[in-house]
mmCIF file of all heavy atoms in Angstrom:
data_model
loop_
_atom_site.group_PDB
_atom_site.id
_atom_site.type_symbol
_atom_site.label_atom_id
_atom_site.label_comp_id
_atom_site.label_asym_id
_atom_site.label_seq_id
_atom_site.Cartn_x
_atom_site.Cartn_y
_atom_site.Cartn_z
ATOM 1 N N ILE D 185 -3.270 12.868 5.838
ATOM 2 C CA ILE D 185 -2.611 13.462 4.634
ATOM 3 C C ILE D 185 -3.708 14.408 3.979
ATOM 4 O O ILE D 185 -4.759 14.491 4.533
ATOM 5 C CB ILE D 185 -2.094 12.378 3.622
ATOM 6 C CG1 ILE D 185 -3.160 11.315 3.202
ATOM 7 C CG2 ILE D 185 -0.886 11.646 4.238
ATOM 8 C CD1 ILE D 185 -2.832 10.473 2.045
ATOM 9 N N ALA D 186 -3.428 14.877 2.813
ATOM 10 C CA ALA D 186 -4.410 15.780 2.116
ATOM 11 C C ALA D 186 -5.739 15.028 1.778
ATOM 12 O O ALA D 186 -5.761 13.767 1.871
ATOM 13 C CB ALA D 186 -3.784 16.346 0.832
ATOM 14 N N CYS D 187 -6.713 15.801 1.435
ATOM 15 C CA CYS D 187 -8.058 15.246 0.989
ATOM 16 C C CYS D 187 -8.748 14.399 2.090
ATOM 17 O O CYS D 187 -9.543 13.528 1.750
ATOM 18 C CB CYS D 187 -7.930 14.415 -0.303
ATOM 19 S SG CYS D 187 -7.189 15.326 -1.666
ATOM 20 N N GLN D 189 -7.665 12.116 3.888
ATOM 21 C CA GLN D 189 -7.212 10.668 3.870
ATOM 22 C C GLN D 189 -6.093 10.405 4.851
ATOM 23 O O GLN D 189 -5.695 11.300 5.549
ATOM 24 C CB GLN D 189 -6.848 10.266 2.436
ATOM 25 C CG GLN D 189 -7.919 10.505 1.443
ATOM 26 C CD GLN D 189 -9.221 9.808 1.817
ATOM 27 O OE1 GLN D 189 -9.270 8.678 2.127
ATOM 28 N NE2 GLN D 189 -10.366 10.616 1.695
ATOM 29 N N THR D 190 -5.572 9.156 4.945
ATOM 30 C CA THR D 190 -4.455 8.828 5.818
ATOM 31 C C THR D 190 -3.402 7.967 5.183
ATOM 32 O O THR D 190 -3.698 7.236 4.258
ATOM 33 C CB THR D 190 -5.013 8.002 7.082
ATOM 34 O OG1 THR D 190 -5.704 6.916 6.635
ATOM 35 C CG2 THR D 190 -5.889 8.810 7.997
ATOM 36 N N ILE D 191 -2.179 8.242 5.593
ATOM 37 C CA ILE D 191 -1.102 7.269 5.240
ATOM 38 C C ILE D 191 -1.188 6.178 6.334
ATOM 39 O O ILE D 191 -1.364 6.415 7.494
ATOM 40 C CB ILE D 191 0.287 8.029 5.274
ATOM 41 C CG1 ILE D 191 1.379 7.027 4.968
ATOM 42 C CG2 ILE D 191 0.575 8.735 6.599
ATOM 43 C CD1 ILE D 191 2.806 7.669 4.813
ATOM 44 N N SER D 192 -1.122 4.975 5.844
ATOM 45 C CA SER D 192 -1.314 3.853 6.727
ATOM 46 C C SER D 192 -0.239 3.666 7.800
ATOM 47 O O SER D 192 0.848 4.197 7.569
ATOM 48 C CB SER D 192 -1.440 2.521 5.957
ATOM 49 O OG SER D 192 -2.312 2.669 4.843
ATOM 50 N N VAL D 197 1.501 -1.616 6.704
ATOM 51 C CA VAL D 197 2.020 -1.610 5.355
ATOM 52 C C VAL D 197 2.980 -2.758 5.185
ATOM 53 O O VAL D 197 2.912 -3.567 4.191
ATOM 54 C CB VAL D 197 2.833 -0.255 5.057
ATOM 55 C CG1 VAL D 197 3.588 -0.356 3.787
ATOM 56 C CG2 VAL D 197 1.823 0.857 5.069
ATOM 57 N N GLU D 214 -2.139 -1.442 -7.092
ATOM 58 C CA GLU D 214 -2.656 -0.924 -5.817
ATOM 59 C C GLU D 214 -3.840 -0.037 -5.988
ATOM 60 O O GLU D 214 -3.841 0.915 -6.810
ATOM 61 C CB GLU D 214 -1.498 -0.137 -5.058
ATOM 62 C CG GLU D 214 -2.013 0.332 -3.737
ATOM 63 C CD GLU D 214 -1.219 1.517 -3.117
ATOM 64 O OE1 GLU D 214 -0.558 2.258 -3.809
ATOM 65 O OE2 GLU D 214 -1.273 1.643 -1.874
ATOM 66 N N ILE D 215 -4.853 -0.244 -5.200
ATOM 67 C CA ILE D 215 -6.001 0.675 -5.161
ATOM 68 C C ILE D 215 -5.919 1.493 -3.957
ATOM 69 O O ILE D 215 -5.847 1.034 -2.846
ATOM 70 C CB ILE D 215 -7.373 -0.151 -5.104
ATOM 71 C CG1 ILE D 215 -7.447 -1.307 -6.111
ATOM 72 C CG2 ILE D 215 -8.553 0.785 -5.185
ATOM 73 C CD1 ILE D 215 -7.310 -0.923 -7.493
ATOM 74 N N GLY D 216 -5.835 2.814 -4.134
ATOM 75 C CA GLY D 216 -5.745 3.766 -3.061
ATOM 76 C C GLY D 216 -4.364 4.266 -2.846
ATOM 77 O O GLY D 216 -3.682 3.900 -1.886
ATOM 78 N N THR D 217 -3.894 5.167 -3.777
ATOM 79 C CA THR D 217 -2.487 5.608 -3.698
ATOM 80 C C THR D 217 -2.231 6.410 -2.414
ATOM 81 O O THR D 217 -1.080 6.254 -1.846
ATOM 82 C CB THR D 217 -2.271 6.584 -4.874
ATOM 83 O OG1 THR D 217 -2.668 5.950 -6.098
ATOM 84 C CG2 THR D 217 -0.792 6.975 -5.017
ATOM 85 N N GLY D 218 -3.122 7.231 -2.021
ATOM 86 C CA GLY D 218 -2.938 8.073 -0.830
ATOM 87 C C GLY D 218 -1.736 8.846 -0.957
ATOM 88 O O GLY D 218 -1.455 9.623 -1.910
ATOM 89 N N SER D 219 -0.762 8.695 0.029
ATOM 90 C CA SER D 219 0.506 9.433 -0.034
ATOM 91 C C SER D 219 1.467 8.842 -1.035
ATOM 92 O O SER D 219 2.520 9.503 -1.366
ATOM 93 C CB SER D 219 1.121 9.287 1.422
ATOM 94 O OG SER D 219 1.557 7.925 1.648
ATOM 95 N N GLY D 220 1.294 7.558 -1.390
ATOM 96 C CA GLY D 220 2.196 6.931 -2.351
ATOM 97 C C GLY D 220 3.245 6.049 -1.557
ATOM 98 O O GLY D 220 4.026 5.320 -2.226
ATOM 99 N N TYR D 221 3.101 5.997 -0.255
ATOM 100 C CA TYR D 221 4.133 5.252 0.489
ATOM 101 C C TYR D 221 4.123 3.690 0.210
ATOM 102 O O TYR D 221 5.127 3.092 -0.063
ATOM 103 C CB TYR D 221 3.926 5.568 2.025
ATOM 104 C CG TYR D 221 4.902 4.826 2.852
ATOM 105 C CD1 TYR D 221 6.319 5.073 2.811
ATOM 106 C CD2 TYR D 221 4.444 3.883 3.796
ATOM 107 C CE1 TYR D 221 7.190 4.459 3.653
ATOM 108 C CE2 TYR D 221 5.340 3.271 4.664
ATOM 109 C CZ TYR D 221 6.665 3.525 4.594
ATOM 110 O OH TYR D 221 7.564 2.879 5.481
ATOM 111 N N GLN D 222 2.866 3.160 0.300
ATOM 112 C CA GLN D 222 2.811 1.651 0.010
ATOM 113 C C GLN D 222 3.221 1.406 -1.391
ATOM 114 O O GLN D 222 3.914 0.363 -1.595
ATOM 115 C CB GLN D 222 1.289 1.280 0.211
ATOM 116 C CG GLN D 222 0.988 -0.128 -0.244
ATOM 117 C CD GLN D 222 1.466 -1.219 0.724
ATOM 118 O OE1 GLN D 222 0.922 -1.373 1.824
ATOM 119 N NE2 GLN D 222 2.500 -1.910 0.314
ATOM 120 N N ALA D 223 2.909 2.244 -2.387
ATOM 121 C CA ALA D 223 3.381 1.954 -3.797
ATOM 122 C C ALA D 223 4.903 1.994 -3.830
ATOM 123 O O ALA D 223 5.512 1.200 -4.519
ATOM 124 C CB ALA D 223 2.740 2.957 -4.700
ATOM 125 N N VAL D 236 -3.752 3.373 -8.253
ATOM 126 C CA VAL D 236 -4.855 4.279 -8.709
ATOM 127 C C VAL D 236 -5.460 4.928 -7.517
ATOM 128 O O VAL D 236 -5.554 4.352 -6.443
ATOM 129 C CB VAL D 236 -5.929 3.486 -9.518
ATOM 130 C CG1 VAL D 236 -5.213 2.825 -10.684
ATOM 131 C CG2 VAL D 236 -6.662 2.474 -8.690
ATOM 132 N N GLU D 237 -5.965 6.168 -7.719
ATOM 133 C CA GLU D 237 -6.537 7.023 -6.621
ATOM 134 C C GLU D 237 -7.716 7.773 -7.165
ATOM 135 O O GLU D 237 -7.561 8.297 -8.339
ATOM 136 C CB GLU D 237 -5.301 7.918 -6.157
ATOM 137 C CG GLU D 237 -5.745 9.036 -5.228
ATOM 138 C CD GLU D 237 -6.400 8.530 -3.954
ATOM 139 O OE1 GLU D 237 -5.771 7.727 -3.229
ATOM 140 O OE2 GLU D 237 -7.537 9.000 -3.647
ATOM 141 N N ARG D 238 -8.663 8.025 -6.364
ATOM 142 C CA ARG D 238 -9.876 8.782 -6.795
ATOM 143 C C ARG D 238 -9.659 10.263 -6.616
ATOM 144 O O ARG D 238 -10.452 11.036 -7.206
ATOM 145 C CB ARG D 238 -11.184 8.234 -6.099
ATOM 146 C CG ARG D 238 -11.209 8.397 -4.666
ATOM 147 C CD ARG D 238 -12.429 7.717 -4.072
ATOM 148 N NE ARG D 238 -13.639 8.463 -4.358
ATOM 149 C CZ ARG D 238 -14.078 9.561 -3.638
ATOM 150 N NH1 ARG D 238 -13.360 9.932 -2.643
ATOM 151 N NH2 ARG D 238 -15.164 10.184 -3.967
ATOM 152 N N HIS D 239 -8.669 10.675 -5.798
ATOM 153 C CA HIS D 239 -8.398 12.106 -5.605
ATOM 154 C C HIS D 239 -7.298 12.550 -6.515
ATOM 155 O O HIS D 239 -6.150 12.065 -6.297
ATOM 156 C CB HIS D 239 -8.093 12.434 -4.149
ATOM 157 C CG HIS D 239 -9.248 12.381 -3.162
ATOM 158 N ND1 HIS D 239 -10.233 13.386 -3.205
ATOM 159 C CD2 HIS D 239 -9.579 11.535 -2.243
ATOM 160 C CE1 HIS D 239 -11.132 13.077 -2.314
ATOM 161 N NE2 HIS D 239 -10.714 11.925 -1.678
ATOM 162 N N LEU D 242 -3.991 13.885 -4.775
ATOM 163 C CA LEU D 242 -3.090 12.798 -4.183
ATOM 164 C C LEU D 242 -2.394 12.141 -5.259
ATOM 165 O O LEU D 242 -1.150 11.905 -5.136
ATOM 166 C CB LEU D 242 -3.990 11.815 -3.360
ATOM 167 C CG LEU D 242 -4.669 12.407 -2.130
ATOM 168 C CD1 LEU D 242 -5.519 11.400 -1.493
ATOM 169 C CD2 LEU D 242 -3.595 12.895 -1.138
ATOM 170 N N THR D 263 -8.453 7.279 -11.140
ATOM 171 C CA THR D 263 -9.658 6.508 -11.538
ATOM 172 C C THR D 263 -10.324 5.884 -10.306
ATOM 173 O O THR D 263 -9.739 5.865 -9.277
ATOM 174 C CB THR D 263 -9.258 5.430 -12.570
ATOM 175 O OG1 THR D 263 -10.420 4.803 -13.090
ATOM 176 C CG2 THR D 263 -8.305 4.385 -12.026
ATOM 177 N N ASP D 264 -11.555 5.432 -10.514
ATOM 178 C CA ASP D 264 -12.198 4.695 -9.421
ATOM 179 C C ASP D 264 -11.723 3.243 -9.470
ATOM 180 O O ASP D 264 -11.931 2.466 -10.424
ATOM 181 C CB ASP D 264 -13.731 4.679 -9.704
ATOM 182 C CG ASP D 264 -14.505 3.827 -8.650
ATOM 183 O OD1 ASP D 264 -13.902 3.107 -7.973
ATOM 184 O OD2 ASP D 264 -15.772 3.991 -8.675
ATOM 185 N N GLY D 265 -10.925 2.921 -8.526
ATOM 186 C CA GLY D 265 -10.137 1.738 -8.416
ATOM 187 C C GLY D 265 -11.077 0.437 -8.314
ATOM 188 O O GLY D 265 -10.586 -0.684 -8.491
ATOM 189 N N SER D 266 -12.345 0.613 -7.909
ATOM 190 C CA SER D 266 -13.140 -0.583 -7.799
ATOM 191 C C SER D 266 -13.401 -1.291 -9.086
ATOM 192 O O SER D 266 -13.719 -2.464 -9.151
ATOM 193 C CB SER D 266 -14.439 -0.277 -6.996
ATOM 194 O OG SER D 266 -14.980 0.923 -7.429
ATOM 195 N N THR D 281 -5.964 -0.688 -0.466
ATOM 196 C CA THR D 281 -5.659 -0.041 0.818
ATOM 197 C C THR D 281 -6.846 0.811 1.308
ATOM 198 O O THR D 281 -6.595 1.856 1.940
ATOM 199 C CB THR D 281 -4.372 0.720 0.713
ATOM 200 O OG1 THR D 281 -4.462 1.716 -0.228
ATOM 201 C CG2 THR D 281 -3.202 -0.224 0.356
ATOM 202 N N ALA D 282 -8.058 0.406 0.934
ATOM 203 C CA ALA D 282 -9.235 1.028 1.444
ATOM 204 C C ALA D 282 -10.215 -0.118 1.652
ATOM 205 O O ALA D 282 -10.117 -1.172 0.965
ATOM 206 C CB ALA D 282 -9.778 2.004 0.508
ATOM 207 N N PHE D 334 -9.297 0.626 8.048
ATOM 208 C CA PHE D 334 -8.971 1.490 6.803
ATOM 209 C C PHE D 334 -10.107 2.494 6.516
ATOM 210 O O PHE D 334 -11.245 2.238 6.857
ATOM 211 C CB PHE D 334 -8.691 0.581 5.607
ATOM 212 C CG PHE D 334 -7.245 0.108 5.514
ATOM 213 C CD1 PHE D 334 -6.971 -1.086 6.186
ATOM 214 C CD2 PHE D 334 -6.320 0.795 4.814
ATOM 215 C CE1 PHE D 334 -5.634 -1.553 6.190
ATOM 216 C CE2 PHE D 334 -5.019 0.303 4.714
ATOM 217 C CZ PHE D 334 -4.632 -0.836 5.472
ATOM 218 N N VAL D 335 -9.755 3.501 5.802
ATOM 219 C CA VAL D 335 -10.827 4.375 5.272
ATOM 220 C C VAL D 335 -11.593 3.635 4.230
ATOM 221 O O VAL D 335 -11.051 2.706 3.658
ATOM 222 C CB VAL D 335 -10.304 5.702 4.671
ATOM 223 C CG1 VAL D 335 -9.569 6.547 5.761
ATOM 224 C CG2 VAL D 335 -9.309 5.451 3.504
ATOM 225 N N PRO D 336 -12.868 3.964 3.950
ATOM 226 C CA PRO D 336 -13.651 3.176 3.011
ATOM 227 C C PRO D 336 -13.266 3.371 1.540
ATOM 228 O O PRO D 336 -12.737 4.400 1.102
ATOM 229 C CB PRO D 336 -15.105 3.692 3.152
ATOM 230 C CG PRO D 336 -14.901 5.105 3.714
ATOM 231 C CD PRO D 336 -13.649 5.108 4.464
ATOM 232 N N LEU D 337 -13.473 2.288 0.798
ATOM 233 C CA LEU D 337 -13.408 2.413 -0.722
ATOM 234 C C LEU D 337 -14.696 3.158 -1.108
ATOM 235 O O LEU D 337 -15.769 2.680 -0.858
ATOM 236 C CB LEU D 337 -13.348 0.964 -1.276
ATOM 237 C CG LEU D 337 -13.070 0.756 -2.738
ATOM 238 C CD1 LEU D 337 -11.553 1.081 -2.944
ATOM 239 C CD2 LEU D 337 -13.324 -0.686 -3.169
ATOM 240 N N VAL D 338 -14.559 4.219 -1.825
ATOM 241 C CA VAL D 338 -15.653 5.153 -2.219
ATOM 242 C C VAL D 338 -15.826 5.041 -3.701
ATOM 243 O O VAL D 338 -14.804 5.092 -4.396
ATOM 244 C CB VAL D 338 -15.370 6.524 -1.655
ATOM 245 C CG1 VAL D 338 -16.482 7.479 -2.062
ATOM 246 C CG2 VAL D 338 -15.120 6.599 -0.180
ATOM 247 N N GLU D 339 -17.022 5.082 -4.093
ATOM 248 C CA GLU D 339 -17.297 4.986 -5.607
ATOM 249 C C GLU D 339 -17.081 6.356 -6.207
ATOM 250 O O GLU D 339 -17.343 7.436 -5.590
ATOM 251 C CB GLU D 339 -18.693 4.599 -5.887
ATOM 252 C CG GLU D 339 -18.823 3.068 -5.958
ATOM 253 C CD GLU D 339 -20.194 2.613 -6.293
ATOM 254 O OE1 GLU D 339 -20.765 3.270 -7.187
ATOM 255 O OE2 GLU D 339 -20.625 1.542 -5.815
ATOM 256 N N GLY D 340 -16.657 6.447 -7.495
ATOM 257 C CA GLY D 340 -16.574 7.623 -8.205
ATOM 258 C C GLY D 340 -15.323 8.458 -7.868
ATOM 259 O O GLY D 340 -14.550 8.065 -7.053
HETATM 260 N N1 SAH E 106 -1.854 3.391 0.390
HETATM 261 C C1 SAH E 106 -1.988 4.718 0.951
HETATM 262 C C2 SAH E 106 -3.025 4.862 2.053
HETATM 263 C C3 SAH E 106 -4.343 4.705 1.487
HETATM 264 S S1 SAH E 106 -5.657 5.537 2.232
HETATM 265 C C4 SAH E 106 -0.587 5.145 1.431
HETATM 266 O O1 SAH E 106 0.371 4.384 1.423
HETATM 267 O O2 SAH E 106 -0.532 6.310 1.837
HETATM 268 C C5 SAH E 106 -6.880 5.075 1.143
HETATM 269 C C6 SAH E 106 -6.871 5.784 -0.187
HETATM 270 O O3 SAH E 106 -7.836 5.130 -1.041
HETATM 271 C C7 SAH E 106 -7.398 7.225 -0.010
HETATM 272 O O4 SAH E 106 -6.373 8.141 -0.536
HETATM 273 C C8 SAH E 106 -8.679 7.260 -0.887
HETATM 274 O O5 SAH E 106 -8.903 8.499 -1.497
HETATM 275 C C9 SAH E 106 -8.435 6.121 -1.802
HETATM 276 N N2 SAH E 106 -9.668 5.560 -2.339
HETATM 277 C C10 SAH E 106 -10.837 5.271 -1.712
HETATM 278 N N3 SAH E 106 -11.763 4.793 -2.638
HETATM 279 C C11 SAH E 106 -11.173 4.704 -3.823
HETATM 280 C C12 SAH E 106 -11.493 4.177 -5.067
HETATM 281 N N4 SAH E 106 -12.734 3.691 -5.363
HETATM 282 N N5 SAH E 106 -10.603 4.265 -6.110
HETATM 283 C C13 SAH E 106 -9.378 4.732 -5.892
HETATM 284 N N6 SAH E 106 -8.904 5.196 -4.693
HETATM 285 C C14 SAH E 106 -9.819 5.157 -3.669
#
Side-chain angles (χ1 to χ4, degrees):
I185 56 170
C187 304
Q189 305 303 315
T190 51
I191 177 171
S192 311
V197 170
E214 181 197 23
I215 310 301
T217 311
S219 67
Y221 181 63
Q222 171 75 72
V236 303
E237 171 57 57
R238 62 186 288 277
H239 286 289
L242 292 175
T263 184
D264 177 349
S266 41
T281 63
F334 274 86
V335 298
L337 190 71
V338 178
E339 272 184 38

